[in-house]
Amino acid sequence: MKSIDPRLKIYLVIINAILVLVISSPIAMGIAVVFTAAVLYMSRIKIDAFLKSTGFVLAVTFLVFLILMIWIEPKNALYGFLKCSSIFISGVVFSKTTEQVDVFDGLVGAFFLRASTAKELYLVIDFLPQLRHELDRMKTSRVARGERPEGKGWIKSFIGDVRVFGPAWKNTNVKSKRTAKAMDDRCYDVSTRRIRTKPLSFKAIDFICLGITVLYAFAIIYLEIRIRFYGKLI
């Protein structure tokens, strides 16, 4: 995943989000879940590290849709949770497999943005991973000082996240502003000029990923059309 062109990664994340949002059939939802799992596997991110960094967000998302089951059908609540999780996981994979400068160049090249606009978008995209890192750092510090360590387990970890969420959010916001200042000091606004010097180019692996994504999109669209307009798959 790290060798894929950053522009293509951005396009794939957006395409996946759009496809997932329009899904209404169980078969299409199953294909989307398998596709998301395959992307996570190809990223070579360790499952324990992934759950440690994203467990809080996934737990909150699950809790929200669990509460929504009081007012909406359980099927729709489950679909909502799976859709949000798929979009979130694809975004996390993108952030963990793409270097800072590649994200920056990808935003400039994919949407023909000004470098200053791309910098602001990058800071927004990078905020959640940095917040997760700050939560882990603060919980580790509390455990080291012996201040009510929560121990292991998802529930205890979630409780620990809630207790330090406010200070972690404040610290992450401060770090985000410092990152913006550092990017200005390193003249990241000339990234467009650097791209002209070393242009981004598609490789064989990029075309393979693009082909797989096209097949995935075709399968989702075909299933949705057949079920919505014809009421059957064949």
Side-chain angles (χ1 to χ4, degrees), residues 111-181:
F111 302 108
F112 306 100
L113 301 176
R114 294 186 303 173
S116 57
T117 304
K119 181 189 69 176
E120 298 299 327
L121 281 177
Y122 168 78
L123 293 174
V124 172
I125 294 172
D126 191 54
F127 188 84
L128 279 180
Q130 291 299 326
L131 177 60
R132 177 68 261 177
H133 174 75
E134 187 66 17
L135 286 170
D136 291 339
R137 186 191 68 80
M138 294 187 70
K139 286 198 301 181
T140 302
S141 299
R142 292 178 70 242
V143 171
R145 293 194 300 266
E147 298 179 3
R148 301 175 65 184
E150 283 77 21
K152 298 181 179 180
W154 279 29
I155 297 179
K156 293 182 179 180
S157 179
F158 175 74
I159 294 174
D161 288 337
V162 171
R163 287 174 176 170
V164 299
F165 184 78
W169 181 281
K170 181 179 179 181
N171 291 347
T172 305
N173 188 44
V174 172
K175 288 184 178 181
S176 181
K177 293 179 180 179
R178 291 177 179 173
T179 301
K181 180 65 167 57

Side-chain angles (χ1 to χ4, degrees), residues 66 69 105 116 127 171 175 194 228:
L66 192 64
M69 289 177 63
D105 290 344
S116 57
F127 188 84
N171 291 347
K175 288 184 178 181
R194 187 175 63 79
R228 291 192 181 191

Side-chain angles (χ1 to χ4, degrees), residues 7 29 82 100:
R7 296 170 298 177
M29 193 73 253
L82 292 176
Q100 182 187 48

Side-chain angles (χ1 to χ4, degrees), residues 172-192:
T172 305
N173 188 44
V174 172
K175 288 184 178 181
S176 181
K177 293 179 180 179
R178 291 177 179 173
T179 301
K181 180 65 167 57
M183 292 173 75
D184 290 337
D185 293 341
R186 294 196 298 270
C187 299
Y188 265 50
D189 285 347
V190 300
S191 181
T192 306

Side-chain angles (χ1 to χ4, degrees), residues 8-223:
L8 181 60
K9 288 183 183 180
I10 294 173
Y11 290 144
L12 296 184
V13 170
I14 295 175
I15 291 173
N16 180 62
I18 294 174
L19 291 174
V20 167
L21 289 176
V22 302
I23 287 176
S24 62
S25 64
I27 298 178
M29 193 73 253
I31 294 176
V33 170
V34 171
F35 181 81
T36 303
V39 170
L40 180 60
Y41 174 77
M42 291 175 58
S43 67
R44 302 297 176 87
I45 300 175
K46 294 183 178 180
I47 298 300
D48 56 344
F50 173 80
L51 292 177
K52 183 178 180 180
S53 61
T54 62
F56 174 72
V57 177
L58 293 177
V60 171
T61 305
F62 179 76
L63 181 62
V64 169
F65 284 102
L66 192 64
I67 296 174
L68 289 177
M69 289 177 63
I70 301 175
W71 296 280
I72 63 178
E73 295 182 4
K75 175 183 175 182
N76 294 333
L78 177 61
Y79 278 15
F81 170 71
L82 292 176
K83 290 179 180 182
C84 292
S85 299
S86 177
I87 296 173
F88 175 70
I89 290 173
S90 61
V92 170
V93 170
F94 170 75
S95 65
K96 287 185 175 295
T97 59
T98 312
E99 298 295 334
Q100 182 187 48
V101 67
D102 290 331
V103 174
F104 193 73
D105 290 344
L107 290 171
V108 173
F111 302 108
F112 306 100
L113 301 176
R114 294 186 303 173
S116 57
T117 304
K119 181 189 69 176
E120 298 299 327
L121 281 177
Y122 168 78
L123 293 174
V124 172
I125 294 172
D126 191 54
F127 188 84
L128 279 180
Q130 291 299 326
L131 177 60
R132 177 68 261 177
H133 174 75
E134 187 66 17
L135 286 170
D136 291 339
R137 186 191 68 80
M138 294 187 70
K139 286 198 301 181
T140 302
S141 299
R142 292 178 70 242
V143 171
R145 293 194 300 266
E147 298 179 3
R148 301 175 65 184
E150 283 77 21
K152 298 181 179 180
W154 279 29
I155 297 179
K156 293 182 179 180
S157 179
F158 175 74
I159 294 174
D161 288 337
V162 171
R163 287 174 176 170
V164 299
F165 184 78
W169 181 281
K170 181 179 179 181
N171 291 347
T172 305
N173 188 44
V174 172
K175 288 184 178 181
S176 181
K177 293 179 180 179
R178 291 177 179 173
T179 301
K181 180 65 167 57
M183 292 173 75
D184 290 337
D185 293 341
R186 294 196 298 270
C187 299
Y188 265 50
D189 285 347
V190 300
S191 181
T192 306
R193 191 180 308 163
R194 187 175 63 79
I195 290 177
R196 295 195 190 103
T197 304
K198 186 180 179 181
L200 298 173
S201 60
F202 288 99
K203 302 177 183 178
I205 185 64
D206 299 319
F207 289 106
I208 293 174
C209 291
L210 181 61
I212 294 174
T213 305
V214 169
L215 292 176
Y216 164 65
F218 176 80
I220 296 296
I221 295 173
Y222 173 79
L223 289 172

